[in-house]
Amino acid sequence: MKNRISIDPSAPDSLLTGAKKINENFDQIDSNFDQIDSKIEQLETVAKSEIAHLHWRADINEKNILEMALELETVKGAVLNGLTSNIYIESFIDVEDVTLLNGATKHDSKNKKVYLV
């Protein structure tokens, strides 16, 4: 407890009592500010987590849209050329859908390429 207002002990009781009440109110205000700061930090943490989750979802949605666009163009080309039977489409947008086996493939993570050995 800080004494922000100091009064001479020989001052009348009413001044001492008033100064003590003012100091108590300042202490209460400081406590409230500390609680507000704590809540703001909690909200910042939650907001950062939500933003990271939204970025992750946006990446997934972008990948799905690209895959659908590739599939649509492939099917359009197949229909246009009359080759619509036994179509299997795999986009290979990233290496998540590919299982790399030892000796069969080589993954270049810098250039984001997979080479068949």
Side-chain angles (χ1 to χ4, degrees):
M1 179 193 263
K2 301 177 191 174
N3 284 330
R4 294 179 178 94
I5 298 177
S6 57
I7 301 287
D8 184 6
S10 62
D13 284 341
S14 61
L15 286 177
L16 286 173
T17 304
K20 286 180 184 177
K21 285 183 181 180
I22 291 171
N23 285 336
E24 288 171 2
N25 286 336
F26 278 138
D27 291 339
Q28 182 65 36
I29 290 169
D30 283 346
S31 174
N32 289 346
F33 278 141
D34 290 342
Q35 290 174 0
I36 290 170
D37 284 342
S38 174
K39 291 287 184 189
I40 287 172
E41 288 175 5
Q42 291 173 357
L43 290 172
E44 284 176 348
T45 302
V46 169
K48 287 178 184 176
S49 172
E50 289 297 318
I51 289 170
H53 180 71
L54 289 173
H55 279 291
W56 175 76
R57 291 284 307 268
D59 288 342
I60 289 174
N61 289 341
E62 182 181 14
K63 178 183 171 189
N64 288 340
I65 290 169
L66 285 171
E67 287 179 347
M68 286 188 293
L70 286 170
E71 187 171 334
L72 175 65
E73 289 301 316
T74 303
V75 170
K76 279 173 44 181
V79 168
L80 224 97
N81 293 309
L83 304 169
T84 57
S85 59
N86 298 327
I87 294 179
Y88 179 77
I89 300 169
E90 181 60 51
S91 64
F92 296 113
I93 288 179
D94 56 26
V95 294
E96 289 178 12
D97 296 335
V98 179
T99 303
L100 301 177
L101 303 173
N102 289 338
T105 57
K106 180 180 177 186
H107 179 244
D108 181 1
S109 59
K110 182 179 177 185
N111 296 317
K112 297 185 178 181
K113 293 183 179 180
V114 177
Y115 299 99
L116 296 175
V117 180

